[in-house]
């Protein structure tokens, strides 16, 4: 391309390359979904269709970007995790965030009518998402990040479940319910649910209590992997892979099925049983 006298303006761009060999978490969050969910009459406290739509959009994002290892979603937010050896867009933060945000939004809108057939999207109530990238320099820190989101899911869901029971079944006003719940601990809320409404919180649906974890299910592909002799590539330590190995790994990730699970990701069990996620 020919140089022009205007080219110097390119130098005003600031670099936003993320630290190498670290986990990159891109968290997106729906803009004004409190209002959005009111407008489209989401069921309170948890609209299953809305969560399934979030998950469906996230699955497509995972399929499009094989550098993503795992994703976690709750309410109107999703965290997407890029592997430490991810080199997509030279690890430029804005490129990664905007690609995820727009791909996710595109699929959310594309799939909307499948989940809300009787509620067409109407301006100005269109879904949009913000996003940010944060790096975590160790597996332990990434695990703590994931735990933070899942604990948040639990705390909010217990509160919301109790609040909406008091309002919808208990006939209380929003302000009265809010007032009574002020300063209560988990035990108090469990007791309100059980004593007043006969609800054992433990029996609530897992998707509401635990949120949604998306990851690639390698076991389902095992016979094929063994045959191709590629299975070991999934356990090569980070940073030690050659270019061809990395390319193979990307191919494997692309082929693997993305599953949606609603399980505990705070304890070790989930990670111990799926060693490929963090390797
Ligand atoms: P902001 O733009 O600052 O993110 P917000 O209105 O989106 O504002 P959040 O803190 O992100 O606020 O909360 C999202 C809100 O969207 C929830 O509090 C809830 O009211 C609603 N919401 C999201 N998902 C669901 C769902 N599946 N079922 C019912 N309500 C939902
Ligand atoms: P990257 O993902 O790195 O941005 P890219 O393929 O999108 O790669 P760009 O440098 O952004 O490359 O260039 C966009 C390209 O899209 C143009 O070079 C052109 O080929 C095509 N394109 C965009 N808009 C139009 C249009 N209105 N008509 C025809 N071609 C278009
Ligand atoms: Mg927000
Ligand atoms: Mg929001
Ligand atoms: Mg939110
Ligand atoms: Mg382009
Ligand atoms: Mg362009």
């Amino acid at each position: 391309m020919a140089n022009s006298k205007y080219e110097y303006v390119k130098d005003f761009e600031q670099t936003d390359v993320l630290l190498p060999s670290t986990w990159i978490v891109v968290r997106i969050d729906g803009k004004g979904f409190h209002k959005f969910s009111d407008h489209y009459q989401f069921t309170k406290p948890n609209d299953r269709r809305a969560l399934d739509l979030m998950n469906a959009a996230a699955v497509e994002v995972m399929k499009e970007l094989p550098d993503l290892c795992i994703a976690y979603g709750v309410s109107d937010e999703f965290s997407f995790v890029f592997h430490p050896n991810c080199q997509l867009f030279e690890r430029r933060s804005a490129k990664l965030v905007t690609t995820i945000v727009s791909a996710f939004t595109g699929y959310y809108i594309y799939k909307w009518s499948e989940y809300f057939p009787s509620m067409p999207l109407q301006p100005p109530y269109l879904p949009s998402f913000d996003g940010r990238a944060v790096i975590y320099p160790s597996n332990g820190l990434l695990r703590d990040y994931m735990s933070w989101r899942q604990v948040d899911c639990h705390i909010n869901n217990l509160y919301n479940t109790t609040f909406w029971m008091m309002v919808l079944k208990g006939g209380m006003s929003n302000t009265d319910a809010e007032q009574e719940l002020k300063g209560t601990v988990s035990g108090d809320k469990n007791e309100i649910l059980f004593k007043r409404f006969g609800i054992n919180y433990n029996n609530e649906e897992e998707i509401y209590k635990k949120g949604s974890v998306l990851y690639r299910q390698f076991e389902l592909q095992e016979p094929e992997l063994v045959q191709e002799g590629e299975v070991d590539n999934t356990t090569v330590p980070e940073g030690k892979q050659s270019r061809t190995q990395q390319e193979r790994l990307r191919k494997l990730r692309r082929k693997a099925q993305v599953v949606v699970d609603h399980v505990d990701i705070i304890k070790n069990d989930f990670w111990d049983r799926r060693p490929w996620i963090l390797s």
Side-chain angles (χ1 to χ4, degrees):
M1 232 225 276
N3 290 334
S4 82
K5 69 168 180 173
Y6 304 114
E7 233 179 54
Y8 75 97
V9 296
K10 182 85 176 140
D11 297 336
F12 281 67
E13 277 188 24
Q14 300 206 289
T15 114
D16 60 350
V17 173
L18 296 165
L19 196 69
S21 303
T22 54
W23 296 98
I24 300 170
V25 176
V26 174
R27 182 170 74 255
I28 68 171
D29 184 282
K31 177 169 178 286
F33 262 48
H34 189 71
K35 242 183 155 173
F36 182 85
S37 62
D38 270 351
H39 181 78
Y40 294 106
Q41 298 165 21
F42 283 16
T43 314
K44 294 293 174 184
N46 292 302
D47 190 294
R48 182 60 197 251
R49 299 162 301 173
L51 293 176
D52 287 342
L53 172 57
M54 289 288 291
N55 290 342
V59 165
E60 296 304 327
V61 172
M62 290 273 287
K63 287 204 266 186
E64 229 164 75
L65 300 169
D67 293 284
L68 291 170
C69 311
I70 187 167
Y72 176 75
V74 46
S75 181
D76 67 340
E77 73 168 60
F78 240 100
S79 299
F80 293 93
V81 181
F82 286 104
H83 195 271
N85 61 26
C86 164
Q87 289 304 326
L88 189 60
F89 300 123
E90 290 96 41
R91 301 173 68 85
R92 289 161 65 186
S93 178
K95 290 266 194 177
L96 293 171
V97 173
T98 54
T99 297
I100 295 246
V101 163
S102 58
F104 185 91
T105 308
Y107 279 112
Y108 190 94
I109 292 169
Y110 178 67
K111 288 176 176 278
W112 173 267
S113 63
E114 201 180 306
Y115 294 86
F116 291 89
S118 59
M119 290 259 175
L121 283 172
Q122 290 233 305
Y125 301 100
L126 297 179
S128 62
F129 294 83
D130 66 46
R132 75 200 65 183
V134 182
I135 54 163
Y136 292 101
S138 72
N139 289 14
L141 288 166
L142 176 71
R143 286 271 311 266
D144 282 353
Y145 172 83
M146 303 298 277
S147 301
W148 174 50
R149 294 329 297 147
Q150 193 166 53
V151 167
D152 207 56
C153 168
H154 165 72
I155 291 169
N156 290 332
N157 189 57
L158 179 58
Y159 180 94
N160 292 337
T161 306
T162 316
F163 175 87
W164 284 105
M165 268 297 148
M166 292 164 84
V167 171
L168 297 175
K169 292 271 158 67
M172 290 175 80
S173 72
N174 288 20
T175 18
D176 284 349
E178 199 181 310
Q179 202 54 42
E180 189 179 337
L181 286 176
K182 223 172 237 166
T184 56
V185 296
S186 302
D188 304 327
K189 294 183 194 79
N190 275 308
E191 198 172 296
I192 293 175
L193 281 176
F194 193 69
K195 289 223 170 114
R196 285 189 214 169
F197 307 106
I199 289 174
N200 182 345
Y201 183 75
N202 291 329
N203 298 337
E204 291 292 290
E205 285 201 57
E206 294 300 309
I207 184 174
Y208 305 145
K209 289 185 296 181
K210 303 241 167 49
S212 300
V213 195
L214 277 56
Y215 56 91
R216 298 176 205 283
Q217 189 59 284
F218 281 104
E219 283 137 324
L220 298 178
Q221 298 271 324
E222 211 156 42
E224 199 185 339
L225 298 192
V226 171
Q227 194 190 334
E228 291 180 13
E230 290 181 332
V231 88
D232 281 346
N233 286 317
T234 59
T235 53
V236 173
E238 64 188 62
K240 295 270 163 61
Q241 294 141 335
S242 70
R243 262 196 112 67
T244 18
Q245 275 175 320
Q246 269 182 36
E247 219 19 73
R248 270 196 210 148
L249 195 55
R250 282 171 67 90
K251 247 175 68 189
L252 274 182
R253 289 206 185 114
R254 215 183 267 284
K255 276 198 286 179
Q257 201 197 340
V258 176
V259 296
V260 180
D261 228 342
H262 316 291
V263 292
D264 182 289
I265 53 169
I266 298 169
K267 298 193 207 83
N268 291 332
D269 185 65
F270 171 84
W271 307 94
D272 288 348
R273 288 171 57 187
R274 297 169 189 82
W276 64 85
I277 293 179
L278 292 184
S279 67

